[in-house]
Amino acid sequence: MKDADLAIVGAGPAGMAAAAEAASLGLGVTVIDDNARAGGQYFRQPPAGFRHTGAMFLDKDRARGSVLAAALRHPAVAHWQDAVVWDMPEPGVLAVAAGEGSGRVRAKAILVATGAQDRPVPFPGWTLPGVVSAGGLQNLLKGQRVVPGRRAVVVGNGPLLLLIGANLVRAGVEVAAVVEAAPIWNRILPALASLARAPDMLALAIRYRAVLARAGVPVLAGWTVTGAKGDEAVTGCRVAPIDTQGRLDRARERSFDCDLLVAGFGLMPSLELPRLIGAELAYDRRRGGWTVKRDADFQCSVPNVHVAGDGAGIGGAEMALLEGRIAARAVARKLGKQVPADDDLRRAWAKRDAFRRGLEAIYAPPASFLDLMTEDTVVCRCEDVTVGDIAKRRSELAGSVTQVKATTRLSMGRCQGRNCLVTLAAMVAKDTGVDMATIPLPRPRPPLRPIPIGDLAFEDIPPPDIPADPHLPRKQRA
Amino acid sequence: MSAIPRRADIAVIGAGVAGLCTALFLARAGRTVAVLERGEAWGESSGANAGTLSLQVKRNEVLQVSRRAIELWRDFQERDGMEIGFARIGGLRVATSERELVNLRKSQGEQAALGVATEWYDGNRLRDFAPWLGPEVQAATYCDWDSMSVPLTAGHGLVMAVRAAGVTVATGAAVTAIARDGEGFCLQVGSEIVGAAQIVIAAGAWTGDVAQMLGVRLPVAADINMLTISEPAPRLFDRVVTHIGAILSLKQYPNGSVLIGGGWQGTGDLAQGTRRTDYLNLVHNLRVAMQVVPALRHLRMVRSWAGYEGVAADALPLFGALPGVPGAFVNACARGGYHQGPALGEQMAEMILGRKLSLDMRAFDPGRFAA
C-alpha cells in the first residue's frame, strides 16, 4: 500500500491545479487519472508522439493544458496514468486498477476531481451510428483531431452547443444548424449583469456566435431535435419548436440532412465515487442534477474528502481550476502547512460563480425531454431496454427503480447505468408525479468503472483465511 | 405498502424463495395464503445470490432436498412457464492440491452411497473434457445434475406465478408483533391486523427476530456473501464450476457475463443494515477464479456486491414446527437456501397440510436449537 498526504482522483483542470498547489505547499501528492495523459476533457492532450499538420484553433487550450500538466512533474507529485480508482474500501484508502501496478493508496486527504459526463437524453434514433454526444465530439476533436462527418447538425441544450458549432465550422465541417432547446435570445438581457462578471467568457461566447454567423449557420433557439433518421447510420434529423408551455409543436417540424448529429443536453457531475462513499447530495437541475453538498473548503459530508470542479456540480473549467487550488490549500492548512490567505482565489471564484448563474438562467431547459421518446426508443443501450419494456415491467410490478432494474437488466451492462438511470428516474418521477429530487439513484457498487479482473492478480497481500469447512457459518453469530 | 389482507388460512412471513415456494404449493392445494414482506419481494438473500444449482457441492445432509429442488426449478420453467433461466448444464468440482484430491475422492464416495453419482476426471481426460481449466487444477468430478439459474428473473417469475395462484404478496408489510388468537394467530402489520390459522416464518436472516415475537429463541447468524459479475464475453466455459477446497462458484450466462461467487465474506452488520464488499476477500475470490479459469483475467468486472445469508449454527435448514407454538412453522436459513427453496417449500406445504413428507426432513427440526 502506497502512502500520500493528498490523493487526487482525476487530472483534469481541478485535479491538475490542486496537485500543483498542494506540491508547492509541501504536501506529498498522488494523482490518479484514467487517461494516458493529464488534461481531462477540457485540456485533453493528443496521444504522445501524435503529429498533425498545421496550427489548429484548439492549440491555445492545448498549450495552456501543457503548462498545467507540467506541474505534475514536480518531485512531490506521483502521477499514476491509465489508472482507474475503482473502490474506497475503507476511509482514506483508494483501490486502483493499473495493470501490474494495481494496488491501494492510503492518503490523509482525498480530492475527488472526476469531472462530468454528457447527460443522456434518449430520442428516436439516438443510438444510430453518426449520432455523437457533445463530450464525445470534443474528445475526438481535441484528442485525435478527428471530425466524424461532413455535414453536421448540433442539437440539445446548453452553452456547449455554440462552442461545438463554431469548432466544427473551423474544422471545415458544413454545419446545417445549431438547435438549442432554451429560448436563449429572450433571456440574455436580464442575465447580462451576471455575465459581465466574467468578461473573458462573455467575449468567447460572442466569438463563437460570430463564427457561426459568418458561416451562415442558423441557430434555432427554443427548438429541439425530435428524431434522427437513417437505417444503417444517421442521414438526417427532425426538429420542432417548443411552445411556452414546454410542449412540442410537431406541426411545425422541419428536417435537415446530415451525416453527423451532435447531441449535447448538458453535463452532469460524475458522482460515482461520492455516491459510493455515501456523500450527501443535493438536487440542482441547473448544475447538472445531483450535486455534492460541500462546505466552504469544498469538503463533502465524508471527513477528509474534498470534491472540486464539475465533479461536484457543473461550473466549467475556470471554476474547477480555482476550486482545485482552494481545496488543496484547505488540506495543506489542515496538515499544518503555512498557507497564504485565499481572498484573491475566492474573489475570482465568486465572479465565475456569478457568470455560471447567468449562463444557467439563459440555458434553463424545459422540464424534461421525456416527450421525445416513443415506445421503441432505447433507454438502456448496453442491455437494449426500450421505453416499452420498462412500461411493461412497471405495470406488472408497480415498480420502483430497483425493481425495474432487476427485471429488465437496465443499468446492468458495461456503462453501469451512467447512460440510463437518470432517464429511468425521470420516467418514474413523471408517472408518479413526484420531484426528481425524491428519487434516489441506486448506490454504485465497486468497481466504479469496469476493470480487468487480471489487474487484481498483482498486489502483494497476505494469504487468504479459507475456512476448514466452508459449509459452516463464516461470520460470528449475530 | 401494498394492500394487506384481513385473513388467510396461512400467513407466510417473508417473500424470499422459501416463503414464496411455500405459498405456491399451499395455494395449489387450495389454501388461502398471504405473504407478508417487510421490504420488496425477493429483495434480500434470494435476489443477491449466485443462482448456482450445484448438487455435488452440497453437504450430504441436504443432498436429497437439493436434488428434488433441481427437479422443481426445472418444472417451474418448463411446465409452469416461469422465467427461471434454468439450464442443466452439468458441473465440475475441482481440486488443486493433494489434500483436495483426497477430500474430493472421499466426497465422491459418500455422494455415490447417497445415490448421487459423479464422474472422475484427471490427466488428459480432464484437459479434453474441460480445456479451459487452469494447469493447477489436478482433478474434477462431473455431476450432470448441476445446473444454473438467473436469480433476478427467477424472482420475478416466481412472484408472478404465486400471485397468479391466488396468493396475496404484500410488500412493505413488516410484521411487528404476533399474538395467539384461540387456535390461530393475529399479526400486527403497521396499523392493520392479519388473522391466520397457521403461520410460516420464512424470514431468512431475520427469522430469529420473528421467532422472538412468539417468545422462542432461535439463534441465527448472518453471513455476508460477495458476488462479482463480468462484462459479456465470448464463450469461455460451459459448466457450473465449484471447488472442493477454496470457496468458489463460477458460471457463464447465455449473454456471456461470468458470475463469480462462492461465499467469500464481505463486511457489515445485519442489525445496522450495513453490508459491502471486503477488499482483500474480493481480491482472493477473483484470484481463485483466475486460478481455475485463467481466461477470466482478460475480462473486465462490472459489478460486485454483498448480500446477507441467514445461517443456523450447523448451517442446516431450520425446517419444521416452531417448538412450543402449535400452528407456527419455520422454513429458513438453509446454507444454499436459494437452491433448496422449491423443495423446502414443497415439503413445508406437505407438513402444513398434514401429509406424510416425501423426504426425510427430521434432521432440520428447529427444536435442535430452540431454548
Side-chain angles (χ1 to χ4, degrees), chain B residues 57-250:
Chain B
V57 83
K58 295 292 181 299
R59 284 171 69 174
N60 295 336
E61 293 92 328
V62 294
L63 219 47
Q64 309 302 332
V65 178
S66 298
R67 181 165 56 187
R68 174 64 184 148
I70 291 173
E71 292 173 346
L72 288 168
W73 278 120
R74 181 202 59 209
D75 288 351
F76 283 175
Q77 175 163 290
E78 291 175 8
R79 198 189 60 201
D80 305 328
M82 298 182 212
E83 289 175 71
I84 304 298
F86 175 88
R88 187 167 162 177
I89 58 175
L92 285 166
R93 190 185 195 192
V94 304
T96 56
S97 70
E98 281 305 318
R99 193 170 65 95
E100 288 173 7
L101 281 177
V102 171
N103 289 341
L104 189 60
R105 278 279 185 212
K106 178 164 168 278
S107 177
Q108 185 187 32
E110 291 167 357
Q111 290 180 342
L114 291 165
V116 175
T118 61
E119 194 174 349
W120 186 271
Y121 282 91
D122 58 15
N124 288 340
R125 271 191 84 228
L126 178 63
R127 303 298 150 200
D128 290 345
F129 189 63
W132 36 267
L133 286 171
E136 290 169 74
V137 176
Q138 299 180 15
T141 47
Y142 175 75
C143 175
D144 79 346
W145 278 97
D146 285 4
S147 308
M148 67 178 193
S149 66
V150 182
L152 291 180
T153 61
H156 180 244
L158 200 51
V159 171
M160 301 283 283
V162 166
R163 287 195 167 132
V167 174
T168 308
V169 181
T171 55
V175 174
T176 50
I178 307 174
R180 293 241 51 147
D181 177 24
E183 296 281 280
F185 299 89
C186 282
L187 297 90
Q188 177 95 40
V189 179
S191 57
E192 313 274 324
I193 300 288
V194 181
Q198 290 163 308
I199 61 171
V200 181
I201 304 171
W206 293 269
T207 292
D209 299 344
V210 180
Q212 194 65 57
M213 293 177 198
L214 288 160
V216 180
R217 214 178 83 75
L218 208 53
V220 168
D223 279 358
I224 299 178
N225 299 327
M226 297 194 299
L227 283 168
T228 297
I229 195 151
S230 79
E231 65 188 336
R235 178 84 15 212
L236 298 179
F237 60 103
D238 51 7
R239 307 288 182 192
V240 173
V241 182
T242 54
H243 205 301
I244 182 81
I247 38 187
L248 180 69
S249 80
L250 280 176

Side-chain angles (χ1 to χ4, degrees), chain A residues 100-348:
Chain A
E100 294 186 14
S102 299
R104 284 168 294 167
V105 57
R106 183 187 296 280
K108 292 174 185 144
I110 288 168
L111 177 70
V112 180
T114 45
Q117 69 157 86
D118 289 289
R119 167 176 294 279
V121 169
F123 54 85
W126 75 303
T127 56
L128 279 171
V131 182
V132 178
S133 73
L137 185 90
Q138 289 285 82
N139 193 335
L140 287 171
L141 276 178
K142 292 180 179 181
Q144 307 282 340
R145 305 291 150 112
V146 166
V147 183
R150 292 198 164 82
R151 183 179 155 88
V153 177
V154 181
V155 301
N157 169 237
L160 262 181
L161 299 190
L162 290 182
L163 162 67
I164 282 174
N167 279 350
L168 285 171
V169 167
R170 291 188 286 193
V173 177
E174 181 190 352
V175 179
V178 173
V179 183
E180 165 58 56
I184 52 176
W185 306 136
N186 316 331
R187 294 174 175 177
I188 290 179
L189 214 52
L192 211 51
S194 306
L195 298 183
R197 296 285 300 279
D200 54 335
M201 299 297 284
L202 191 55
L204 267 182
I206 293 167
R207 196 173 319 145
Y208 300 145
R209 184 71 190 92
V211 169
L212 292 173
R214 270 202 302 279
V217 177
V219 177
L220 303 178
W223 286 63
T224 179
V225 67
T226 53
K229 296 186 289 188
D231 295 324
E232 300 291 304
V234 69
T235 57
C237 67
R238 295 184 307 275
V239 301
I242 306 170
D243 70 17
T244 47
Q245 312 296 313
R247 290 173 310 218
L248 294 176
D249 183 358
R250 290 188 190 265
R252 290 169 60 203
E253 209 168 56
R254 298 174 53 177
S255 56
F256 292 100
D257 291 336
C258 62
D259 62 356
L260 170 62
L261 181 62
V262 183
F265 287 86
L267 301 173
M268 32 187 227
S270 292
L271 291 177
E272 291 83 7
L273 184 49
R275 285 170 55 218
L276 177 86
I277 62 177
E280 276 180 45
L281 305 180
Y283 195 82
D284 183 349
R285 178 72 175 87
R286 292 187 165 191
R287 298 207 69 183
W290 288 106
T291 61
V292 181
K293 280 193 189 171
R294 301 176 296 172
D295 66 15
D297 290 332
F298 305 124
Q299 184 174 220
C300 71
S301 65
V302 179
N304 300 317
V305 178
H306 297 250
V307 188
D310 281 357
I314 303 304
E318 302 300 333
M319 252 178 111
L321 289 165
L322 292 164
E323 292 189 2
R325 293 182 65 191
I326 294 170
R329 286 184 176 193
V331 170
R333 213 171 273 128
K334 204 184 315 181
L335 296 179
K337 305 290 181 190
Q338 284 294 327
V339 180
D342 294 333
D343 301 0
D344 52 337
L345 294 182
R346 291 185 188 274
R347 264 195 304 276

